[in-house]
Amino acid sequence: MPGPWPGLRWALLGLWAALSLGFLGLSAVAQEPFWADLQPRVALVERGGSLWLNCSTNCPRPERGGLETSLRRNGTQRGLRWLARQLVDIREPETQPVCFFRCARRTLQARGLIRTFQRPDRVELMPLPPWQPVGENFTLSCRVPGAGPRGSLTLTLLRGAQELIRRSFVGEPPRARGAVLSATVLARREDHEANFSCRAELDLRPHGLGLFENSSAPRQLRTYTLTPDRPRLAAPRLLEVGLERPVSCSLERLFPASEAQIYLALGDQRLNSEVTREGDALTATATARAEEEGIGQLVCNVTLGGESRETRENVTVYSFPAPLLTLSEPVAPEGTTVTVTCTAGARALVTLDGVQAVASGQPAQLQLNATENDDRRGFFCDATLEVNGEILSKNRSAELRVLYAPRLDDSDCPRSWTWPEGPEQTLRCEARGNPGPSVHCARPDSGAVLALGLLGPVTRALAGTYRCTAANVQGEAVKDVTLTVEYAPALDSVGCPERITWLEGIEASLSCVAHGVPPPTVSCVRSEEDGVIEGLLHVAREHAGTYRCEATNALGSAAKNVAVTVEYGPSFEELSCPSNWTWVEGSGRLFPCEVDGKPEPSLECVGSGGASEGLLLPLASPGPTPRASSISSALAPGIYVCNATNRHGSVVKMVAVSAESPPQMDESTCPSNQTWLEGAEVAALACAAGGRPSPRVRCSREGTPRPERQRVSRNDAGTYRCVATNAHGTDARTVTVGVEYRPVVAELAASPPGGVRPGGNFTLTCRAEAWPPAQISWRAPPGAPNIGLSSNNSTLSVAGAMGSHGGEYECAATNAHGRHARRITVRVAGPWMWVAVGGAAGGAALLAAGAGLAFYVQSTACKKGEYNVQEAESSGEAVCLNGAGGGAGGGPGAEGRLEAAGSTEAPAGGEVFAIQLTSA
């Protein structure tokens, strides 16, 4: 018999199966192999650094274990199944420690790998040559000892910041350490004083470490260029004992010229040189001096970059004393005999004043009888010497002084002196004689003495005749001298007045008297003309003006302006004082009348006869008037007599005066607001203007021009500008034109345009165009309840449509110019099935509606186009809603459809629209 819990038996059976599978899993785990592990398996350590290694196993009870390595140990920590040991001072490039455990009679092992790296602490760039010729190759060599591993090392040779060569040692054995990089570089001129260096990079970033960089100390390269040419030596071939001569030496195409060394030497004596450098050229200048005769050697040496260029030239050193020139009596009285002698060295040949000596080493002589002409006579002694095929020359000169009595020549003391007044002058009267004579000049009459040889001002008082005496120990000389003082012209008010007045018609002359030495010439010229005024003139008005009189002599000139005034009686000219004058009202203008005459005439214009009798005509003339020159608001036209008077006479002129006025418009003659009726015949704007002569009025539309048409259109409305014009000006007014027109019902629409079920809503919208704005009125079917109108009567709305709302609706628009109406028909009907089902309920509802929803719409103003909506009341007849009479409603039984009829301005007719009302 089965037990009560068969489900429990199945649960126990599943538990037993699960335990069996778990024991099978444990046995499977127990059968897995044991292992040993070493962490880290691979390590990269800086040379000389330390590292902890962890050796472990999964053996539950290992018999023994350890870590085999040749590296030094510093400490050990251990547990049952692990061992940790610190390795220090690791220097081997590569070592493989072994972790081992003994477990179940088996040895478990794990092998690791430890590599060391060394930073590029030493980066050495091999020394560069002290000087490197441009255009030749030199070697750059960089050495980085001990750095590694080499496979992670990159070396770069640099010129300044520019990389010359870069090499990476990827692929080198892991144990390789240190690196060398060499390159051959062509020396360039711009490499002079350039710094070369080496940069080492140890990139251990792929191993989880950083990038280690180091650079060598820079080494400076010095390059040079030395031309193969020898220096150019500029030196004399001959050099006199005891004298200094300049020498120079130069060499071009040197680089750098600032580093080149140059020296000059004469024999074994180095000269003190001044060295100049310009670009790639080098020049040394010095003075050479020798104390002994013979052949010497002049040396120029240029050294650069350890190389030298040298030039040598021979110099002949000679001795050549100057000749000796003697006079038997250097200072001799007139008539004395003088002997002159010229001598020189033993090998020299002398010449005295062109007379050559008989042979070399012999003197040359001449004798003379001293006269006045020999005073300050020079004698010339020339000596020549041949040295090394070149003729050398030296000379000496001497002067003979002869004593004689004074002479006063006209060239040194002229008989007549002429000086200008004012500037300081030095009076010179010089006499010849030896010794030099003294000179004294005085007036014979007054004894006044001239200060000879002194600078002083020249005045007119110095003019006169003086006696000059020259004296020395040999005698004296006497001479009379005349001094003349000249001065520039002067024009004063006595001889040449500033203002002269002539009377027209007389004869007169313009003359000016000037003072000056020598006597000046005087001429007078009119400012606007070139001709000189001379002799008598028959005075006319054109002679008036400003004349410039100028007096001239050798010392200068003086000028003066002379104003000549020509007076004459008054006269009228038609251009300046017209016989007919028109006064313009409101212009404020005065009568322009100018009178010609000198002195300025007085002018008065007085009316003679008629309305102007005794009245003064206001004048615009600048001349004086006996009455105030002010214009009145109204000037009396008529004949005026104008009288002009000055001290030379008077003249009379008759003037006819007329009055006119500019255009003027105002609101009375040109209203600013005017109204036209659309369709009327086009007429001009009602604008007129006053003025004399009669103005012409033109009106034009502002903005868009008004097109030509026969009838008034509403498009003619706008702003017009009317301008009135005559000879004296313009006046303008702005006129606003409004166009009024009859009303037109432009739109009569129903919404919604489709079917409406009973109880739905519909709206009729009426829009009219008219000016002035039209009043909107409606006429509805009789008995239509619940009709609402908007504030301006443009919208008729029905809420909860019923059959009584069916029929014709009329919208009428009315203003002062007429009336226009349109109609729309709304037909209300439902399906016959709905009527049959409704039965008695429908009838009862209609009775209730007839009793409770009766209303009427009464019009209080069914005339003259004025309509208002009144409260609706119950009525069985059509009610006039804002109209004159009601229209017939739609017949019963009409199906829902849209019907339209034509529109007209009469009450009958109009557009008809049908709205079908259906049941839900």
Side-chain angles (χ1 to χ4, degrees), residues 533-548:
I533 304 299
E534 296 179 342
L536 288 176
L537 298 175
H538 185 75
V539 177
R541 299 181 190 183
E542 57 267 22
H543 291 141
T546 300
Y547 292 80
R548 186 168 183 80

Side-chain angles (χ1 to χ4, degrees), residues 666-672 674 676 683-688 697 699 722 735:
D666 54 21
E667 188 68 23
S668 62
T669 61
C670 185
S672 57
Q674 300 186 28
W676 292 346
L685 286 174
C687 272
V697 180
C699 296
C722 294
V735 178

Side-chain angles (χ1 to χ4, degrees), residues 368 386 446 462 709 712 775 794 918:
L368 57 96
E386 182 181 358
S446 63
L462 293 178
R709 56 169 65 94
V712 175
Q775 291 185 344
S794 63
T918 60

Side-chain angles (χ1 to χ4, degrees), residues 35-335:
W35 43 259
D37 183 40
L38 181 63
Q39 292 296 330
R41 281 292 182 96
V42 178
L44 187 62
V45 183
E46 186 172 4
R47 187 173 183 272
S50 62
L51 176 68
W52 279 93
L53 289 180
N54 189 0
C55 179
S56 61
T57 181
N58 64 345
C59 179
R61 290 188 175 277
E63 299 175 9
R64 62 186 180 87
L67 181 64
E68 292 182 354
T69 178
S70 60
L71 301 177
R72 289 178 52 193
R73 311 169 213 178
N74 188 36
T76 303
Q77 298 178 5
R78 65 174 64 245
L80 178 61
R81 292 185 293 173
W82 61 275
L83 171 67
R85 181 164 293 164
Q86 185 184 27
L87 305 180
V88 297
D89 195 20
I90 303 174
R91 295 183 176 275
E92 297 278 339
E94 183 176 290
T95 182
Q96 295 183 358
V98 177
C99 169
F100 67 92
F101 285 95
R102 185 72 177 172
C103 180
R105 296 191 300 276
R106 293 177 56 234
T107 300
L108 307 176
Q109 287 187 351
R111 188 178 298 273
L113 177 61
I114 301 176
R115 289 177 177 166
T116 60
F117 71 90
Q118 184 172 343
R119 305 186 190 203
D121 295 330
R122 289 174 54 199
V123 182
E124 301 174 354
L125 182 66
M126 297 298 103
L128 301 177
W131 284 97
Q132 176 65 34
V134 172
E136 296 183 11
N137 292 327
F138 65 98
T139 301
L140 285 177
S141 181
C142 177
R143 176 174 171 269
V144 186
R150 189 184 299 163
S152 301
L153 198 61
T154 300
L155 298 185
T156 305
L157 293 174
L158 302 104
R159 178 196 291 118
Q162 178 190 4
E163 290 188 2
L164 298 177
I165 185 172
R166 180 182 178 92
R167 180 180 176 187
S168 177
F169 296 88
V170 176
E172 292 286 333
R175 300 179 64 87
R177 296 292 186 272
V180 175
L181 177 61
S182 297
T184 300
V185 181
L186 180 66
R188 306 175 305 169
R189 177 169 175 156
E190 53 267 30
D191 291 337
H192 180 63
E193 294 186 346
N195 288 325
F196 291 82
S197 61
C198 175
R199 184 176 66 230
E201 302 173 12
L202 184 63
D203 191 1
L204 299 179
R205 288 176 292 186
H207 304 287
L209 298 177
L211 174 66
F212 301 97
E213 294 180 301
N214 195 14
S215 297
S216 68
R219 293 189 182 274
Q220 190 179 74
L221 179 68
R222 296 197 296 175
T223 61
Y224 74 97
T225 299
L226 181 60
T227 177
D229 301 334
R230 294 192 306 165
R232 290 194 303 272
L233 181 60
R237 295 172 50 248
L238 305 177
L239 181 61
E240 186 176 0
V241 172
L243 296 182
E244 293 182 345
R245 294 291 300 277
V247 295
S248 66
C249 178
S250 63
L251 185 61
E252 297 179 349
R253 293 188 294 166
L254 294 173
F255 175 79
S258 59
E259 299 288 343
Q261 301 295 323
I262 184 172
Y263 71 87
L264 289 165
L266 180 59
D268 57 356
Q269 176 188 3
R270 180 171 288 196
L271 304 181
N272 186 14
S273 303
E274 180 180 351
V275 180
T276 59
R277 296 171 174 85
E278 183 176 354
D280 290 348
L282 181 68
T283 303
T285 57
T287 56
R289 177 187 178 98
E291 301 298 336
E292 296 181 358
E293 291 185 288
I295 304 298
Q297 195 171 56
L298 190 62
V299 180
C300 175
N301 182 280
V302 177
T303 303
L304 177 61
E307 294 187 59
S308 296
R309 301 290 184 267
E310 188 174 274
T311 300
R312 294 175 176 267
E313 289 188 7
N314 290 332
V315 178
T316 301
V317 182
Y318 67 93
S319 177
F320 183 20
L324 181 63
L325 179 61
T326 59
L327 282 74
S328 60
E329 292 191 42
V331 179
E334 189 175 13

Side-chain angles (χ1 to χ4, degrees), residues 723-887:
V723 180
T725 307
N726 68 4
H728 303 299
T730 62
D731 191 15
R733 281 184 65 80
T734 300
V735 178
T736 302
V737 175
V739 176
E740 296 185 352
Y741 47 90
R742 302 177 64 188
V744 173
V745 177
E747 179 184 4
L748 180 59
S751 176
V756 177
R757 298 180 179 182
N761 304 329
F762 68 91
T763 300
L764 302 181
T765 301
C766 181
R767 182 177 63 82
E769 295 179 357
W771 192 261
Q775 291 185 344
I776 304 297
S777 60
W778 290 87
R779 183 168 58 82
N786 298 334
I787 294 178
L789 295 176
S790 63
S791 60
N792 60 355
N793 289 357
S794 63
T795 302
L796 182 147
S797 59
V798 172
M802 302 174 60
S804 58
H805 290 107
E808 186 177 72
Y809 292 79
E810 181 184 83
C811 172
T814 307
N815 69 0
H817 301 296
R819 178 178 184 277
H820 181 251
R822 294 180 70 177
R823 297 174 182 173
I824 185 170
T825 300
V826 177
R827 300 185 184 278
V828 179
W832 292 108
M833 184 174 290
W834 178 262
V835 175
V837 173
L846 289 176
L847 290 176
L853 299 178
F855 69 95
Y856 71 93
V857 178
Q858 179 178 348
S859 171
T860 60
C862 291
K863 59 183 177 178
K864 298 182 182 179
E866 299 176 359
Y867 311 99
N868 292 298
V869 177
Q870 303 295 331
E871 181 179 1
E873 296 181 357
S874 173
S875 174
E877 298 179 353
V879 179
C880 176
L881 288 183
N882 302 327

